[in-house]
Amino acid sequence: MGLRRVGRVSARAGIVVTGTEVLTGRVRDLNGPWLADRLLELGVELAHVTQCGDRADDIDAQLRFLAGQQVDLIITSGGLGPTADDMTVEVVSRFCGRELVLDDGLERTIDEIVTGLMARFPDVDADAVRAANRKQALIPAGAQILTPVGTAPGVVVPGTPTVVVLPGPPRELQPMWRAAVATDAVQAAIAGRTRYEQHTVRMFGLPESGLADTLRDAEKTVPGFDRLEITTCLRRGELEIVTRVEPQHASAYTDLLSLLRDRHGREIFSTDGALVDDQVAELLAGRRIATAESCTAGLLAARLTERPGSSAYVAGAVVAYANDAKIELLGVDGEVIDAHGAVSEPVAEQMALGALRRFGADTGIGVTGIAGPGGGTAAKPVGTVCFSVVVRDDDGAVRALTRTTHMPGNRSDVRERSTTIAMHLLRRALIGAG
């Protein structure tokens, strides 16, 4: 879901992601989203992100489409290698009406890079490799060269629009983009960019429709609302609201945030863009947590350990599917399982307590559910998941926060959503710890 309010128009850009492997989904596009974020930081309006295969006519069509949208800057990624299907520079040169010329200095630079690489492959014909890589030293006349990070150089071609040609591998593209932005041609192309402040609010437990109603009311009641550019996104059960505003209209955002707090204070968990994972990591400082998981297959433990320094607070994890594993590894009472079922709040709580005891932790969390397919009943359909967080307070008392949810989706959806719910329950429990 997205809502856009436009003040004055900023400098505009378009991105062309090339590569048949990206177009067909064999390789996931990382460059488009990364470049989109960098343009946002610069205050440049992103008009379009397009993808096409390694075909000259299709690349040319994307360039001409973006030029027709009156963008000031076009950024391409991919197609800079030495093989025949790497043709982006050639197509861009033709599109810009410039001759393709050999740069002797660049050829020597590439030759030095290739010579160093070939030292590891003594059986490869180095002369043949150099001849193939000579193609990468051909650039549009008058273009500015971006020094290779791998073997492929990038180029900046001044004009209307200015075109920045970058390699496909993200590890090469990202540092090269920083060099491109510093060039006179790119600075001139984005000179009309708007300086924005950006704010991110995150919510959990609110449906999109509830937020939509609030934003409709804000449109009528918040002075200067039309100066705000608001984008909303639902991901993993969380609502992300990103607002961009020019500094002189900051009071409109202040009023909007006040309205969101009044309407949805309980659901807002972050007004500074912090993720729940970061908040939980801070709350776990000085504590030790252990997890006991069934339907989530250890994904919660994996998520907890993604933050730097997590080894200081993550004591251990148990993944137990079978009832006898829950009994033996976590000390769950078999009679409780018989009475309530393996997917139940009492079992989730005993799993959490078992993890806490087994690893000598002061915080434990248990997750048990039916992720599917199959295995559900009328009383407990697929998507039923029980959670329990147990926390030992400073006075030694142990308290529990236990919940059951029912969620739609396939196994992957249920597991992903369950880990998010678990993180939010953990956050809530830890805020009250002490």
Side-chain angles (χ1 to χ4, degrees), residues 284 287-290 356 361-365 389-391 426 430:
L284 284 170
R287 305 188 68 91
R288 281 172 60 82
I289 185 171
L356 184 146
D362 52 41
T363 307
I365 182 164
V389 181
V390 294
V391 177
L426 183 57
L430 289 169

Side-chain angles (χ1 to χ4, degrees), residues 253-318:
Y253 176 73
T254 300
D255 292 342
L256 173 64
L257 181 59
S258 178
L259 178 62
L260 291 174
R261 282 173 165 156
D262 288 344
R263 295 275 188 92
H264 310 297
R266 179 176 173 81
E267 290 80 18
I268 293 174
F269 68 89
S270 172
T271 58
D272 61 0
L275 301 170
V276 68
D277 302 55
D278 298 318
Q279 295 177 340
V280 166
E282 290 184 10
L283 291 166
L284 284 170
R287 305 188 68 91
R288 281 172 60 82
I289 185 171
T291 67
E293 301 178 63
S294 178
C295 66
T296 45
L299 295 178
L300 175 59
R303 188 163 167 178
L304 284 167
T305 56
E306 287 177 353
R307 292 297 181 272
S310 59
S311 58
Y313 54 78
V314 178
V318 172

Side-chain angles (χ1 to χ4, degrees), residues 109-298:
T109 297
I110 294 173
D111 183 68
E112 291 172 2
I113 295 171
V114 172
T115 299
L117 293 174
M118 287 304 99
R120 294 180 292 171
F121 305 98
D123 297 330
V124 175
D125 185 342
D127 290 336
V129 173
R130 289 192 193 96
N133 281 275
R134 187 173 187 269
K135 170 175 172 279
Q136 295 175 292
L138 294 169
I139 65 169
Q144 181 163 348
I145 298 168
L146 301 173
T147 303
V149 177
T151 62
V155 294
V156 177
V157 188
T160 306
T162 291
V163 182
V164 177
V165 182
L166 301 174
R171 68 182 181 279
E172 298 180 22
L173 176 142
Q174 293 177 11
M176 202 176 285
W177 166 248
R178 290 187 283 272
V181 171
T183 64
D184 291 341
V186 171
Q187 286 297 311
I190 64 175
R193 67 189 186 276
T194 302
R195 300 292 184 178
Y196 289 105
E197 295 176 356
Q198 180 170 302
H199 307 275
T200 301
V201 174
R202 301 185 191 280
M203 299 184 184
F204 182 74
L206 179 72
E208 286 184 283
S209 57
L211 177 61
D213 287 342
T214 298
L215 291 178
R216 280 192 288 269
D217 289 344
E219 188 172 5
K220 302 171 187 174
T221 61
V222 172
F225 183 79
D226 62 332
R227 309 304 301 186
L228 303 175
E229 180 182 306
I230 304 170
T231 302
T232 63
C233 178
L234 177 65
R235 182 169 50 242
R236 296 196 305 192
E238 297 175 349
L239 273 172
E240 177 186 82
I241 305 99
V242 178
T243 304
R244 291 203 302 167
V245 59
E246 295 175 65
Q248 65 268 30
H249 302 297
S251 61
Y253 176 73
T254 300
D255 292 342
L256 173 64
L257 181 59
S258 178
L259 178 62
L260 291 174
R261 282 173 165 156
D262 288 344
R263 295 275 188 92
H264 310 297
R266 179 176 173 81
E267 290 80 18
I268 293 174
F269 68 89
S270 172
T271 58
D272 61 0
L275 301 170
V276 68
D277 302 55
D278 298 318
Q279 295 177 340
V280 166
E282 290 184 10
L283 291 166
L284 284 170
R287 305 188 68 91
R288 281 172 60 82
I289 185 171
T291 67
E293 301 178 63
S294 178
C295 66
T296 45

